[in-house]
């Protein structure tokens, strides 16, 4: 016998009514904060326009600067564009020193004698020997004066330019050379020195470096200027006390004094270059 489920009995209770939609919350129950948001612009999407109808685009955020910045210490070294005089002159001195290191010492001594700014050469070929003398570094490429030339001329050229730096160097080189050699010639003429003193060996860049250092000191702050002059002056006084080469040792203080005497000129040039450097 097949069984079937009886239909559900109808209920006499009425069906529940669906819930009534909630009434919207009135703005009257919240404080008026419209005036507090006037200074905060609404974020517009792409394609929206402002009140004047001008299309508005989102301002791109600047990308972080990821460039590698070289340390300021590299400014102490010469560069072909920043300090062309020091770079070229230093390269020439380096090549001459490296070539001389490979030559026979007797050949190098002969070249030094031909480049010596002694009285005999100054009388015959003054321009040639003054230039040739400044092509040698006494003591080699790693001598203290070679390193001083590199840093001092670089710092000076960055402040007053290559032409004036070359002028200060030559002024000290020529002035100190004449200040030490002319008295020798006069002493030989007066019979106070033998004729062999007219051929005294004298070459190198030290006079020009001393004058350049003296000029550079005038462009530095007092906290660096006076200790630098005091330290270099102490070295020069020590050389004079040692009395190993009196004429050359006297030439260094003379060259330093020549550099100090250029302070008004180099300071004026340094001030004139400031607007150009700032731009």
């Amino acid at each position: 016998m097949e069984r079937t489920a009886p239909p559900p009995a109808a209920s006499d209770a009425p069906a529940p009514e669906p819930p009534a939609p909630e009434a919207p919350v009135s703005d009257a129950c919240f404080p008026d904060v419209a005036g507090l948001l006037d200074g905060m612009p609404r974020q517009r999407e792409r394609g929206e326009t402002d009140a004047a109808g001008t299309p508005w685009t989102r301002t791109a955020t600047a990308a972080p600067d990821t460039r590698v910045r070289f340390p300021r210490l590299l400014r102490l070294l010469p560069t072909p564009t920043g300090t062309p005089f020091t770079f070229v002159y230093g390269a020439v001195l380096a090549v001459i020193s490296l070539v001389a290191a490979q030559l026979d010492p007797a050949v190098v001594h002969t070249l030094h004698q031909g480049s010596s700014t002694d009285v005999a050469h100054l009388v015959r070929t003054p321009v040639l020997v003054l230039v040739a003398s400044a092509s040698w570094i006494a003591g080699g490429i790693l001598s203290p004066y070679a390193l001083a030339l590199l840093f001092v001329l670089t710092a000076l050229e960055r402040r007053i330019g290559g032409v004036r730096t070359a002028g200060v160097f030559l002024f000290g080189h020529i002035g100190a050379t004449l200040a030490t050699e002319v008295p020798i010639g006069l002493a030989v003429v007066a019979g106070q020195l033998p004729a062999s003193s007219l051929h005294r060996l004298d070459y190198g860049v030290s006079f020009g470096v001393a004058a350049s250092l003296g000029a550079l000191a005038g462009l530095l702050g007092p906290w660096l200027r006076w200790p630098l002059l005091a330290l270099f002056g102490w070295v020069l006084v020590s050389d004079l006390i040692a009395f190993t080469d009196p004429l050359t040792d006297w030439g260094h203080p003379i060259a330093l004094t020549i550099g100090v005497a250029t302070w008004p000129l180099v300071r004026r040039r340094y001030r004139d270059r400031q607007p150009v450097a700032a731009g």
Side-chain angles (χ1 to χ4, degrees), residues 27-257:
D27 293 339
C29 60
F30 294 102
D32 185 9
V33 295
L36 300 178
L37 302 179
D38 291 343
M40 185 180 300
R42 183 173 65 88
Q43 298 295 321
R44 299 185 180 93
E45 299 298 332
R46 185 181 301 273
E48 288 186 337
T49 58
D50 56 11
T54 304
W56 177 88
T57 56
R58 188 183 301 275
T59 303
T61 304
D65 189 0
T66 58
R67 293 177 300 176
V68 178
R69 298 186 181 277
F70 293 97
R72 292 181 62 86
L73 291 178
L74 292 182
R75 289 181 59 82
L76 298 177
L77 300 177
T79 59
T81 55
T83 55
F85 166 70
T86 305
F87 185 85
V88 173
Y89 184 40
V92 171
L93 291 175
V95 170
I96 293 176
S97 299
L98 293 176
V99 172
Q102 307 301 321
L103 298 178
D104 185 81
V107 175
V108 176
H109 181 70
T110 301
L111 294 175
H112 286 167
Q113 285 183 324
S115 305
S116 175
T117 51
D118 52 38
V119 177
H121 282 114
L122 287 173
V123 171
R124 294 196 301 266
T125 56
V127 177
L128 178 60
V129 295
L130 285 171
V131 174
S133 174
S135 302
W136 299 96
I137 303 177
I141 196 173
L142 296 180
S143 67
Y145 276 104
L147 299 178
L149 180 142
L150 185 67
F151 294 115
V152 170
L153 290 190
T154 298
L156 186 61
E157 185 172 359
R158 290 191 183 280
R159 288 165 171 79
I160 65 174
V163 174
R164 286 166 178 79
T165 299
V168 170
F169 182 89
L170 290 176
F171 190 24
H173 175 67
I174 297 173
T177 297
L178 296 179
T180 53
E181 296 295 339
V182 169
I184 293 177
L186 296 177
V188 171
V189 172
Q192 301 298 320
L193 289 176
S196 59
S197 300
L198 299 177
H199 304 277
R200 188 182 67 90
L201 191 62
D202 186 14
Y203 65 92
V205 300
S206 59
F207 289 168
V209 173
S212 300
L213 188 145
L216 176 63
L219 303 177
L220 302 176
W223 61 273
L224 185 58
R225 176 192 310 150
W226 302 117
L228 179 63
L229 290 177
L231 177 62
F232 190 62
W234 177 78
V235 173
L236 300 184
V237 171
S238 300
D239 291 341
L240 286 174
I241 294 175
F243 210 70
T244 56
D245 190 356
L247 291 179
T248 299
D249 293 339
W250 274 112
H252 292 149
I254 293 174
L256 181 65
T257 304

